[in-house]
Amino acid sequence: MDQEMMDKIKQHKQEGKVIRRIVAWVTIIVVALVLFIGIFGTIYVKSALQPVDPDSEEQIAVEIPLGSGISTISKILEEHGIIKDARIFKYYAKFKNQSNFQAGNYTMTPSMTLDEILESLKTGKVYRKPVMVIPVPEGLTLEQIGKIVEKHTKYTQEQFMERVNSKEFIDYVMATYPELVTDEILNENIRYPLEGYLFPATYSFYEEDVSLDDIILPMIEKTNNVINEYKALLAEKEMSVHTLLTFASLLEEEATAKTDRETIASVFYNRLEIGMPLQTDPSVLYALGGHKERVLYEDLEVQNPYNTYVNPGLPPGPIANAGVVSIEAALNPTDTEYLYFLADQDGNNHFAKTYEEHLQNKKLYINNKQ
């Protein structure tokens, strides 16, 4: 009996060892499984929060029906390949407390981030964070714009200038925008045919590898879109686009922070009407091909088609790019009898009808300040 008891005890101990081993293995497997699920889940969620394809340029049409909730929108976006997982997107939107999405037709791309998609759905517009931004201020020449392009892209100023002045590119632009870019830019006295035709604005680009044409053409297209707003007024005044851009460029270069461009425009128009040279210093600087702190008397005599001291009328073409304010001033000058103006050191303009009045202004606001 004692032996039988001993055998049972021994058997129970062996069974206990087996059970403990099984429990240990099950525990290890469960822990490993939990860790695997956790790690895999983390990797999956992290992946689902990233763009489907950061390098994709594919444009995909997506329609969001009226009354769609976040669940419906998420499914639509997943079906179109804009997001990786509808559930993750839905939870992400809720976590970000985003709602009130706009129905409509969108053109989206798999490279958009979730935040860009949410912003698009909220505003009703496709929003993407640009890869590259090129700011082009008012009053710049092509060479100066080329410097900005060189700063923000892989292209040099020399490459920019070579392309923007190439016959192939100019012919393409003239064919694409025939009402904007006419034969007037081919005048033999013009330094750069497309000077003044690249509109001042901030240009955003969404791909890393952008061609020079893709950088330059939007600037010309912007000019075309702006000028189209004034087609009726140009026809009424019988003024060509080239003349407008040339006139506006003079105003842009003469402008100061506090200038009255409409009144300066009236001075130029009054001078043109009586055949009096415009005598604007910026045209001299452009003729000289560079910037100087002070224009000297000897500079005023330089023989160059752009020098408005020695040549009557407007220069052969724009001397810089002009913004909307200068364009509108060129089209809507104030009605004055002024023939002269000067700017003091504070940027205030002083106008005069006669040369004697102009000399008095110079004495009061320039000589006395020196």
Side-chain angles (χ1 to χ4, degrees):
M1 187 71 176
D2 291 339
Q3 184 62 41
E4 186 177 349
M5 287 286 293
M6 292 295 291
D7 290 341
K8 286 183 178 180
I9 291 172
K10 189 176 182 180
Q11 184 178 354
H12 283 309
K13 286 182 178 180
Q14 290 176 343
E15 290 176 353
K17 287 181 180 180
V18 172
I19 291 172
R20 284 194 295 273
R21 286 180 181 176
I22 293 173
V23 170
W25 277 107
V26 169
T27 301
I28 291 172
I29 292 171
V30 169
V31 170
L33 188 60
V34 169
L35 287 173
F36 176 78
I37 292 173
I39 294 172
F40 177 78
T42 301
I43 295 173
Y44 180 80
V45 171
K46 187 176 180 180
S47 174
L49 292 174
Q50 301 302 313
V52 174
D53 184 357
D55 300 321
S56 175
E57 298 179 12
E58 181 183 5
Q59 303 292 309
I60 301 173
V62 179
E63 181 182 358
I64 304 299
L66 192 65
S68 298
I70 184 61
S71 296
T72 302
I73 293 173
S74 300
K75 290 178 182 177
I76 293 173
L77 294 176
E78 183 180 0
E79 290 170 358
H80 284 78
I82 303 300
I83 60 174
K84 294 179 180 178
D85 190 291
R87 289 170 299 175
I88 300 297
F89 181 79
K90 180 175 69 174
Y91 293 137
Y92 184 79
K94 290 183 177 180
F95 175 76
K96 287 279 191 173
N97 198 28
Q98 300 286 1
S99 58
N100 298 322
F101 300 120
Q102 303 291 317
N105 295 309
Y106 296 83
T107 301
M108 296 185 173
T109 175
S111 63
M112 295 176 70
T113 65
L114 298 194
D115 286 329
E116 290 172 344
I117 295 169
L118 288 172
E119 185 66 23
S120 299
L121 294 170
K122 282 180 61 181
T123 61
K125 300 177 182 178
V126 175
Y127 173 82
R128 293 176 64 197
K129 185 177 181 180
V131 173
M132 179 174 62
V133 176
I134 302 178
V136 180
E138 292 88 349
L140 297 190
T141 63
L142 279 179
E143 291 178 340
Q144 291 170 326
I145 295 173
K147 267 296 182 187
I148 292 176
V149 169
E150 180 177 82
K151 179 180 178 181
H152 293 276
T153 74
K154 64 182 179 181
Y155 301 105
T156 65
Q157 181 194 39
E158 183 180 352
Q159 289 173 319
F160 173 88
M161 292 300 294
E162 182 179 348
R163 184 56 181 164
V164 80
N165 289 306
S166 69
K167 183 178 184 303
E168 176 192 359
F169 185 77
I170 291 170
D171 287 345
Y172 174 79
V173 170
M174 292 181 69
T176 306
Y177 305 102
E179 294 185 6
L180 174 72
V181 188
T182 66
D183 288 341
E184 288 183 88
I185 69 165
L186 302 179
N187 184 319
E188 63 180 1
N189 290 323
I190 288 180
R191 179 179 295 169
Y192 300 128
L194 293 176
E195 185 79 87
Y197 283 81
L198 277 61
F199 199 80
T202 298
Y203 297 90
S204 299
F205 301 89
Y206 299 91
E207 286 79 38
E208 291 282 357
D209 190 20
V210 182
S211 70
L212 257 179
D213 285 13
D214 289 337
I215 291 172
I216 301 170
L217 287 173
M219 301 179 188
I220 298 174
E221 183 177 3
K222 178 68 174 177
T223 302
N224 187 64
N225 294 339
V226 170
I227 294 300
N228 277 341
E229 299 292 322
Y230 306 103
K231 285 175 65 175
L233 192 54
L234 281 169
E236 179 184 325
K237 291 180 173 290
E238 298 182 347
M239 178 186 289
S240 72
V241 172
H242 189 73
T243 298
L244 172 62
L245 293 179
T246 301
F247 198 110
S249 74
L250 298 180
L251 298 179
E252 194 67 58
E253 292 296 83
E254 283 284 7
T256 63
K258 301 178 181 179
T259 191
D260 183 347
R261 301 184 200 206
E262 291 85 359
T263 308
I264 294 176
S266 75
V267 172
F268 288 160
Y269 277 117
N270 290 341
R271 286 190 167 213
L272 289 172
E273 188 174 347
I274 63 175
M276 182 179 180
L278 296 181
Q279 297 180 319
T280 172
D281 288 357
S283 71
V284 177
L285 293 174
Y286 190 83
L288 294 172
H291 177 72
K292 296 181 68 173
E293 291 297 327
R294 186 176 181 183
V295 177
L296 305 176
Y297 283 111
E298 61 191 53
D299 297 329
L300 305 181
E301 299 176 357
V302 63
Q303 295 301 310
N304 185 284
Y306 284 91
N307 185 355
T308 57
Y309 276 84
V310 298
N311 300 296
L314 293 170
I319 61 173
N321 63 351
V324 169
V325 175
S326 293
I327 289 173
E328 292 187 344
L331 289 170
N332 299 288
T334 52
D335 186 9
T336 76
E337 296 179 2
Y338 294 134
L339 289 173
Y340 303 89
F341 73 93
L342 58 81
D344 62 28
Q345 293 179 342
D346 297 322
N348 298 305
N349 287 288
H350 304 276
F351 298 88
K353 296 179 182 178
T354 67
Y355 186 61
E356 289 72 21
E357 290 176 356
H358 180 63
L359 290 177
Q360 186 64 23
N361 284 341
K362 188 175 182 180
K363 181 179 179 181
L364 287 171
Y365 303 110
I366 303 296
N367 295 341
N368 285 346
K369 300 292 183 178
Q370 295 177 348

